[in-house]
Amino acid sequence: MASITPPKYVRQVLTTLQARGHLACLVGGCVRDMIMGVHPHDWDVSTSALPEEVMEIFPHTLPVGLRHGTVTVMIQSRKVEVTTFRSESAYSDHRHPDAVQFVGDLTADLSRRDFTMNAIAIPPDGLIVDPFGGVQDIQNKIIRCVGEPERRFEEDALRMFRALRFSARLGFAIEEHSMAAISRCAPLAGDLSPERVRDEVEALLLTTRPERMDELIELGLLDSYLLQRLPPYSTLFRLNGVPRKSLFRWAMLGELLEEQGCIRASEDFLLRLRLDSRTIRCCSDCAAILRQAAPTQAVEWKQLLNRYGVETVTCAARCRDALLGGNSFGKLRSVLKSGECFSMKHLAVTGDDLLALGLQGRALGDMLQFLLNYVMTFPQNNRKELLLSLARDTEES
Ligand code: ATP
Ligand code: MG
């Protein structure tokens, strides 16, 4: 195994639990990462101690996931999630266990986990507990269900999304039986809440292989959100043409799905997936910008910036380059770098200045807009005296 060791505060959580007579070990993503030689972004501890006991042992805890047996331990101003060993009973709705039972047994806890690579534990003595051959699967870059794949996907249909997401993120192949089970169980994805689907789709979009979305769609996992699946030569590979930022990837996904007749409009699709209103707004504005011809002059960029804001226009420029080639983003960047005015905020005169000239109400608003349009065309003239005199002359004429 690569020489990644848990930081001191994590070791302290493990040894404290152990000293109080409980079993405690690292589990899940952090173990997988350590075996792969990657620094984990967070550390999860599993223990035989009950949540109340964990709260009693550590002075600073947050009972955030108590229902699932998870207590957040605050230690040296860091957080460690400590979860009591548990097993899960039937999943009658394909997404939530009917009951969660705390168990004293590590193997039972590992066997409820989704994939062999996520079902490995490392106790404080460092001797790996790997009842399902997860280490070997990591070495062979394979994603394999713990237990019988079909049953595991029937229990929780989200695991199908997780398989594809991990496969895209890690570059691992999904083992044959697990893959066949996804094809068969895909209709169960329709029972999942849109929020859970959204989070998984976003996580996949933010990997370095977002084009794997096409597999997710081809397998039927998004059928309840689409009019139809992808045509034979899908263009989803273009997702990789925009930087790894959630807004850019959602906007691009919406564009590509719409272009290929899978959705009617990006806005409806994102609304149904319960994206936040700001993202939906930015994506639909981005789609509106892309329907127009690409700006050729700086002033046209400034008009867009004024109307839609920097983030949306940047998103549209990135999408346009990824869809059609060209260097829209480069042109936009030089407009932004020039520091030239494109918003009222940076106009050299304010509403108060115009009030002092005797303007008010609608006339004042119109004049500000007129001056802004003027300055967007003649940026060197964004000077107070000059603009006030222009306002006076315009009023008089
Ligand atoms: P990441 O690096 O993305 O956080 P992770 O493996 O830590 O990867 P989490 O979603 O944080 O993934 O889950 C932590 C662990 O909980 C997993 O490694 C897995 O053992 C278990 N787990 C999470 N979700 C499920 C699920 N739907 N079904 C079964 N086990 C799950
Ligand atoms: Mg995790």
Side-chain angles (χ1 to χ4, degrees), residues 28-30 32-33 41-42 44 112-114 118-119 152 156 158-159 162 165-166 169 196:
C30 62
R32 184 191 66 231
D33 289 345
H41 57 86
D42 52 22
D44 292 324
R112 71 157 173 99
R113 293 174 184 271
D114 48 7
N118 291 343
R152 303 310 313 279
D156 182 2
L158 199 79
R159 292 173 187 151
R162 287 174 59 87
R165 192 241 293 181
F166 281 120
R169 180 165 128 200
R196 289 182 89 201

Side-chain angles (χ1 to χ4, degrees), residues 115 117 141-143 160-175 179 182 204 207-209 212 215:
F115 308 116
M117 64 177 185
K141 297 182 183 270
I142 284 176
I143 296 174
M160 299 186 279
F161 288 82
R162 287 174 59 87
L164 274 144
R165 192 241 293 181
F166 281 120
S167 169
R169 180 165 128 200
L170 307 173
F172 285 17
I174 300 174
E175 175 274 331
M179 195 64 187
I182 298 182
L204 198 160
T207 67
T208 53
R209 299 177 184 83
R212 295 286 302 277
E215 225 171 310

Side-chain angles (χ1 to χ4, degrees), residues 65-110:
L66 218 49
R67 233 161 33 98
H68 303 108
T70 304
V71 172
T72 303
V73 172
M74 304 291 302
I75 187 160
Q76 295 166 20
S77 21
R78 311 295 292 268
K79 288 179 180 173
V80 180
E81 303 240 299
V82 178
T83 307
T84 303
F85 293 155
R86 54 179 233 225
S87 66
E88 288 157 2
S89 62
Y91 288 65
S92 32
D93 60 358
H94 312 301
R95 46 190 169 143
H96 299 117
D98 296 340
V100 166
Q101 288 116 25
F102 297 134
V103 292
D105 176 12
L106 172 61
T107 312
D109 181 85
L110 293 177

Side-chain angles (χ1 to χ4, degrees), residues 169-219:
R169 180 165 128 200
L170 307 173
F172 285 17
I174 300 174
E175 175 274 331
E176 195 186 335
H177 295 102
S178 304
M179 195 64 187
I182 298 182
S183 299
R184 287 193 296 272
C185 298
L188 300 177
D191 294 340
L192 290 167
S193 76
E195 290 82 359
R196 289 182 89 201
V197 173
R198 172 200 63 205
D199 291 350
E200 279 303 321
V201 169
E202 177 160 310
L204 198 160
L205 286 175
L206 292 177
T207 67
T208 53
R209 299 177 184 83
E211 67 281 3
R212 295 286 302 277
M213 274 301 300
D214 63 6
E215 225 171 310
L216 196 83
I217 293 174
E218 273 327 285
L219 284 161

